[in-house]
Amino acid sequence: MATVKEAVKETLVGTTREPQLSAQTKATFERLSRTDAETGERYMAEEDFVDAIAPADEDYHKIKREQYAILFGVADRRKSGKINLQDWAIFENLLAKPDAEYEIAFRLFDVRGTGTVKYDDFQKLYQLNKGDDSIPFDWNCEWASLYIGGKRKRHDLTYHQFSQMLRGLQGERVRQAFHLFDRDHSGFIEPEDFQRIILHTSRHKLSDHLLENLPSLCNISTGTKISYANVRAFENVMREMDLVELIIRNATAKSEDGKITRTDFLNEAARITRFSLFTPMEADILFHFAGLDEPSGRLSWTEFAKVLDPSWQNPDITWGSDKVSDLAKATAFSGKNILHKVLESAYHFGLGSVAGAFGAFMVYPIDLVKTRMQNQRSQRVGERLYKNSLDCAKKVIRNEGFRGLYSGVVPQLIGVAPEKAIKLTVNDLVRARFSDGKTGQIWWPYEILAGASAGACQVIFTNPLEIVKIRLQVQGEVAKSVEGVPRRSAMWIVKNLGLIGLYKGASACLLRDVPFSAIYFPTYNHLKRDYFGEGPKKKLGILQLLTAGAVAGMPAAYLTTPCDVIKTRLQVEARKGETKYTSLRHCASTILREEGFQAFFKGGAARVLRSSPQFAFTLAAYEVLQSSLPYPAQDDGKKATGSRIEPGVGLSEARAPLPYLRSRNAMKIILDLDENFGIPKHPAQKSWLSLPGLSGKGAGA
């Protein structure tokens, strides 16, 4: 039973299963390791280790790939210069820990493996790896002595003490650097000095947009210099990036045009924070850097992303020799882009057609019952064929067999593909035309217009197929009530109606489909975005999409039932003795006069019961087909971009391998000590500098 429940849960909400650690670890090791010529054992050298934790196809314009070699000292427990399978398994297990980033940094400096960091070892390793042009840092200052003790009372650091020291280190480095450049003790420094401070302490954590424009911070005040208050406010904003992002997302979501002002930001911050209040200067700094290219003061998410996303990179700036090859690849890819889009569109059209046909087939009996109920005109009990929808279904099965529930299904299946394709395409085109190019936001009247346009365009295909389908659906009951009436085929009905006849009731079809789509599409999109929280950071699961589609279909289907009743009556051939409707107005007035207002909602429940599950079946089938038959070139476009960026954290989903993500985060913590950690000091040196006597390779090996 548990297995069945798990299978159902996996089908509905999905699951993520990673290979077992032992199997994954062994596979990675076997793929990247080499064989020792003397012993025949497999091992990883330093370059193999770097290949394992820093894939060559990721972007390294922030943290250089060779700097990752510094982590080799953590994995090389025996200090032999070689990592065996057990060493690699322990390191991968370490990467899986929730506090892996800080523990990796701790083990790097715990060179003796005793569980504590000795001050002398820490200092030696720090001095070996800091850059020659680094801004000096006084380890004898009061701040440092609070963690490591005074000059005469140095003590070893435990893991928690060391981690906490690293947490506050960057702020102290900035403070000391400010004092160094504030030569006249005025409390102000030059913009160029501020830029140097940030480049030496935070380059690896900030976006290129910020780094390029650091000197402009002086423009937030009337002077030409930067005060310590400016620097501290800048640090506070950078430290609270995740909270700033949350506030901006909430504020822009509430804005009609997706743009906010400084006042909107501070108001939203007051609503969702308890203690981390932002000062006016901090808000000024955020909007200053985000609004450099949009000086109106009313900014969208796109402007803020250049500040908040550390992986944001200016495509016009060269960050290495491999940039030229990247641009060449992007140019080569653009030639295939049009063909790729055509093939991908055909792929999605094909899947949508099959999925749409499946959805229509599954709910077709409900649609047939709905049509029969809507076509029933008499109000006298003795003359009514069906009491209700359930009675209708029973009599269809008894009189026409189970196959009778699928009378006219073929035209319906044929019409699903063009109907869905036109409806979805027109809706997307109109939405794109009126959406904000930067934020993707759209004013709600334009959403309704997009849906209405989609509904209007689909009538070109749906009306002929609807009239054929409806006549096939009702001819079964005619055959039972009137003797000698032959059953007609779909082709006979088409020939008999002619081109003009196929569009009989088109005005009623428009009256039904336009409001249906105008209600359905905006409701569906708002449910996804506002209720389920779909966005750049969150992708909805199948169950959420099914729920949104089903709920959106309910009001759209029921509220347009009167139009559907009128359309059905106009398109069904009148029987002997029944009123023949001449126009939409005549039909509506006749129904109201002879059958009452409630007749306009005949089959309303069946219509709701059909529309909601039809969408559910269609979407479920589409998702299953997409996963079973993936588009072969689906990922090609992701690699060929003008400027590659490292996987975003927070602003976009991180898709890189877990060892790389955790190793990168650990490197960010280590580089808080000095930006040059892990960079070779001279061309002949190939790796980072470790402590002599504590590594099998020695210093600078």
Side-chain angles (χ1 to χ4, degrees), residues 363-375:
V363 299
Y364 191 80
I366 301 175
D367 186 56
L368 181 133
V369 170
K370 182 237 5 163
T371 301
R372 296 267 179 110
M373 289 297 296
Q374 290 178 342
N375 189 51

Side-chain angles (χ1 to χ4, degrees), residues 235-368:
E235 280 287 300
N236 291 345
V237 173
M238 297 307 107
R239 188 174 62 248
E240 298 288 352
M241 282 293 199
D242 292 332
L243 179 58
V244 171
E245 178 194 341
L246 175 62
I247 294 169
I248 292 173
R249 283 195 182 279
N250 281 12
T252 53
K254 294 175 182 177
S255 171
E256 288 188 358
D257 61 356
K259 296 181 178 182
I260 61 171
T261 62
R262 175 181 176 277
T263 302
D264 297 329
F265 172 81
L266 289 173
N267 288 340
E268 188 63 28
R271 291 189 187 98
I272 68 174
T273 59
R274 295 177 180 175
F275 307 109
S276 299
L277 298 178
F278 290 90
T279 66
M281 182 180 289
E282 290 166 359
D284 288 340
I285 288 174
L286 173 63
F287 274 76
H288 165 72
F289 284 109
L292 288 173
D293 299 323
E294 186 66 36
S296 65
R298 189 168 180 81
L299 308 179
S300 68
W301 175 249
T302 305
E303 280 80 42
F304 288 111
K306 294 187 290 187
V307 175
L308 300 176
D309 188 356
S311 65
W312 189 91
Q313 170 181 356
N314 190 336
D316 298 326
I317 295 180
T318 301
W319 290 102
S321 58
D322 61 332
K323 190 67 180 179
V324 177
S325 68
D326 288 341
L327 291 172
K329 291 176 183 176
T331 304
F333 174 79
S334 63
K336 303 177 183 178
N337 202 28
I338 296 176
L339 179 61
H340 170 77
K341 287 181 178 179
V342 170
L343 292 175
E344 190 171 12
S345 297
Y347 164 78
H348 288 296
F349 181 86
L351 293 189
S353 299
V354 176
F358 174 74
F361 184 82
M362 294 299 291
V363 299
Y364 191 80
I366 301 175
D367 186 56
L368 181 133

Side-chain angles (χ1 to χ4, degrees), residues 13 30 86 120 299 364 407 443 521 538 546 650 675 686:
V13 300
E30 290 296 327
Q86 289 72 30
D120 290 340
L299 308 179
Y364 191 80
S407 297
W443 190 31
F521 282 110
K538 182 178 180 181
L546 291 177
E675 289 281 333
K686 292 185 178 179

Side-chain angles (χ1 to χ4, degrees), residues 30 35 42 59 80 166 181-182 255 272 276 348 356 368 370 477 576 599 601 609 626 631 636 701:
E30 290 296 327
T35 303
R42 302 284 293 178
D59 180 68
S80 63
L166 290 184
F181 291 113
D182 181 18
S255 171
I272 68 174
S276 299
H348 288 296
L368 181 133
K370 182 237 5 163
E477 67 180 21
K576 188 175 182 180
F601 288 90
L609 289 174
Q626 206 169 29
Y631 184 59
D636 289 354

